[in-house]
Amino acid sequence: MDLAFERISVYHDCLRLGQTTVKDEVLRCLESARSQAHLNAFLELYAEEALERAEALDQEISVGNFKPLTGVVVGVKDNICYAGHQVSASSKILDGFQSLYSATVVERLLEHGAVVIGRLNCDEFAMGSSNENSAFGPVLNPLNTSRVPGGSSGGSAAAVAMGACHLSLGTDTGGSVRQPAAYCGLVGFKPTYGRVSRHGLIAFASSFDQVGVFGQSVEDVARLVTCISGRDDFDSTCTADAHECLVPKGEKKLYRIGYSPSWMSSSVLNTELQSMLKNFLEQSVKEGHTLIPFEIEGMDYAIPVYYILATAEASSNLSRYSGLNYGVRHADADSLESTFKLSRSQGFGPEVQRRIMLGTYVLSEGYYDAYYVKAQRVRRILRDQFQRIMSECDVFALPTTVGPAFGIGSKSNDPLAMYLEDQFTVLANLTGLPAISIPLGSDEEGMPLALQFMGSSFQEQDLFQAASQFCIKEGIKNI
Ligand code: GLN
């Protein structure tokens, strides 16, 4: 019997029947990570402690103790704190910094029986769409190593796709879970803003940031999200009920699917993706679902608005990295000013510096009303519009990306082309709505293409239910 991981439910059956152990599974994951170290997905493997924990969990299983995530092997993006472990946001400025406490999501993973296997590479401070902005080098796509895995949570996507963990945590500020999931053939989910605590997450743009999840199936992702969700005294924006079960029930339903005809056939989409999306719509009608077309106003402004607001928030959030309290201080610093200047110039990479400058500019006196305030107004228009749309349909379907994973280096000298990567993902962050990317098929070269669904605020169970029904190909098997 092939015991390679497929689904948590199947894995738990195998554990119950004694056909495998958590220790065996952790060893298999470690071996998979080590033999594919060239992909650069892991910044650190917690081999010894993961094995110790596996043994303890095997003990619990032997006396019949099972929790929803018992023995589930999870990788964590390098911008989520884990007490006593390093966290660097893949930046030199935090080199050597150790977390003093664990993020709420990490604590909840552990409470529910998961094994944390390592720290995953990402774009520096989660800024990027290709994982080429990490101070520790790019991550390669496990399905084709000349392509990017997507970003900023590229390491989190690659680790699951290469079979080095069952699920992983990423963060999604403008698409950083859904886009890499699309590029690696996985399910990638961003919660409603306020469902999952941000406590212990290194802030990029606080009104957008959410912890998201990668997995091979909608069902597993929903199970993990159920475990990490809910109110947290450390994050006042996190208001969802804890313990609300989000796992889809498996029954088939007929849906009212909202969509924008011009987006689904947009000329920016690659032709194979265009025809797959067309098939999806036609097939949905044949199966009895109702399609509801919407024309969305202000879509052209989504990217500019996102990059004005996200950089504004980032410039403020990143001011704390001054060379005084955290991480690296430049060796030649000999005054307050030179400490700031030298430490920040040396510690931050070019993309982070670009965003700090952009964010500082849009917040500066004289430009604040013209850019920041106007962008907030457009954000509100988009949000109100989507609230209306979501009251008339069950899910809103749209592309996740414009095509398959692109070549490493092909966009790194063109920040604008890179920013346009996010045109279909930023909407969910601007509006705060939950969204999920699911595999739709593969192109001629075998690279995955994806479909995205947005759902109503805090209605994740419905979203997962729909996604599991339409998930044509629940993840690409370990390779
Ligand atoms: N690619 C987007 C950006 O660079 C989104 C990043 C993210 O979601 N963390 O801002």
Side-chain angles (χ1 to χ4, degrees):
M1 179 180 179
D2 177 18
L3 291 178
F5 180 82
E6 207 179 296
R7 295 276 183 283
I8 297 175
S9 55
V10 177
Y11 170 52
H12 277 182
D13 286 344
C14 292
L15 288 172
R16 278 197 187 90
L17 293 169
Q19 291 171 333
T20 189
T21 62
V22 179
K23 189 173 174 191
D24 282 346
E25 194 57 20
V26 169
L27 283 169
R28 192 191 62 73
C29 289
L30 288 171
E31 171 50 30
S32 178
R34 287 181 179 131
S35 64
Q36 299 172 86
H38 62 286
L39 300 177
N40 203 22
F42 283 87
L43 293 178
E44 204 180 343
L45 270 174
Y46 307 142
E48 222 169 284
E49 60 176 276
L51 285 169
E52 267 172 36
R53 177 150 169 91
E55 278 171 16
L57 289 165
D58 281 327
Q59 283 290 326
E60 289 196 20
I61 292 169
S62 67
V63 292
N65 280 346
F66 256 93
K67 292 177 182 157
L69 300 178
T70 289
V72 173
V73 182
V74 182
V76 175
K77 184 175 177 179
D78 184 34
N79 62 351
I80 299 175
C81 295
Y82 184 10
H85 296 74
Q86 284 189 37
V87 64
S88 75
S90 292
S91 178
K92 277 195 289 190
I93 210 155
L94 276 171
D95 204 19
F97 178 77
Q98 277 212 354
S99 299
L100 300 174
Y101 57 85
S102 290
T104 300
V105 286
V106 170
E107 278 183 358
R108 291 187 179 168
L109 282 181
L110 297 173
E111 269 165 32
H112 287 89
V115 180
V116 178
I117 195 166
R119 185 160 64 94
L120 296 164
N121 202 349
C122 59
D123 280 309
E124 187 176 359
F125 284 97
M127 296 175 184
S129 306
S130 64
N131 218 130
E132 293 168 294
N133 296 337
S134 166
F136 305 105
V139 176
L140 313 183
N141 189 317
L143 305 169
N144 178 340
T145 53
S146 68
R147 308 276 185 106
V148 302
S152 64
S153 315
S156 304
V160 175
M162 72 203 232
C165 52
H166 299 152
L167 292 110
S168 63
L169 296 185
T171 57
D172 192 314
T173 303
S176 278
V177 168
R178 288 159 287 149
Q179 184 249 26
Y183 284 178
C184 293
L186 301 170
V187 174
F189 167 73
K190 178 205 89 83
T192 306
Y193 187 85
R195 173 165 298 282
V196 176
S197 168
R198 288 176 297 116
H199 174 65
L201 156 64
I202 294 181
F204 160 12
S206 311
S207 77
F208 298 83
D209 295 341
Q210 279 291 291
V211 173
V213 179
F214 292 89
Q216 298 277 6
S217 68
V218 174
E219 179 194 315
D220 283 0
V221 167
R223 183 192 291 231
L224 192 142
V225 176
T226 299
C227 295
I228 61 173
S229 290
R231 218 175 284 281
D232 178 16
D233 288 344
F234 292 112
D235 175 3
S236 58
T237 65
C238 182
T239 54
D241 285 342
H243 313 301
E244 183 190 344
C245 179
L246 307 174
V247 180
K249 301 227 164 50
E251 71 224 23
K252 297 233 182 242
K253 283 191 190 166
L254 288 179
Y255 288 98
R256 294 171 301 164
I257 304 172
Y259 75 110
S260 156
S262 55
W263 300 359
M264 289 300 239
S265 57
S266 164
S267 59
V268 301
L269 301 177
N270 125 320
T271 48
E272 280 172 279
L273 178 57
Q274 250 180 42
S275 68
M276 275 184 208
L277 292 169
K278 190 164 165 258
N279 284 347
F280 158 76
L281 292 176
E282 287 169 1
Q283 191 58 30
S284 302
V285 175
K286 278 192 202 136
E287 288 171 12
H289 304 286
T290 310
L291 295 183
I292 310 179
F294 291 97
E295 273 319 316
I296 286 114
E297 224 181 284
M299 176 60 178
D300 290 349
Y301 301 112
I303 286 286
V305 165
Y306 167 76
Y307 276 93
I308 288 171
L309 297 178
T311 57
E313 293 185 27
S315 71
S316 162
N317 274 327
L318 270 57
S319 63
R320 73 191 70 174
Y321 306 103
S322 57
L324 290 182
N325 303 319
Y326 306 97
V328 173
R329 177 177 305 169
H330 196 282
D332 300 337
D334 57 6
S335 65
L336 193 60
E337 196 179 325
S338 68
T339 302
F340 290 172
K341 272 193 184 158
L342 293 172
S343 308
R344 285 168 71 83
S345 307
Q346 187 196 45
F348 289 135
E351 181 61 27
V352 175
Q353 295 196 17
R354 183 179 298 126
R355 296 205 189 193
I356 291 173
M357 283 195 291
L358 192 59
T360 312
Y361 176 78
V362 299
L363 288 177
S364 59
E365 201 183 341
Y367 295 103
Y368 180 84
D369 286 331
Y371 294 107
Y372 184 76
V373 172
K374 198 167 272 175
Q376 289 286 29
R377 291 201 178 119
V378 180
R379 183 180 193 183
R380 172 50 72 113
I381 290 170
L382 285 168
R383 203 190 80 129
D384 290 350
Q385 206 176 170
F386 265 92
Q387 239 158 17
R388 233 181 7 257
I389 290 173
M390 294 317 301
S391 69
E392 291 169 33
C393 63
D394 301 309
V395 284
F396 186 85
L398 70 170
T400 309
T401 60
V402 296
F406 52 91
I408 290 177
S410 66
K411 294 192 183 178
S412 37
N413 292 326
D414 187 351
L416 201 58
M418 198 69 99
Y419 294 172
L420 285 170
E421 268 297 298
D422 309 323
Q423 51 192 304
F424 295 115
T425 51
V426 293
L427 278 174
N429 307 81
L430 285 164
T431 57
L433 296 175
I436 189 164
S437 177
I438 53 175
L440 187 60
S442 306
D443 70 5
E444 269 184 352
E445 293 173 66
M447 292 307 285
L449 293 165
L451 170 71
Q452 186 185 185
F453 284 129
M454 285 166 68
S456 299
S457 198
F458 291 104
Q459 300 306 312
E460 269 85 348
Q461 205 206 22
D462 294 343
L463 181 63
F464 286 136
Q465 182 85 35
S468 67
Q469 192 167 323
F470 289 101
C471 199
I472 294 165
K473 186 155 146 278
E474 289 220 325
I476 285 181
K477 293 282 295 178
N478 298 346
I479 45 164

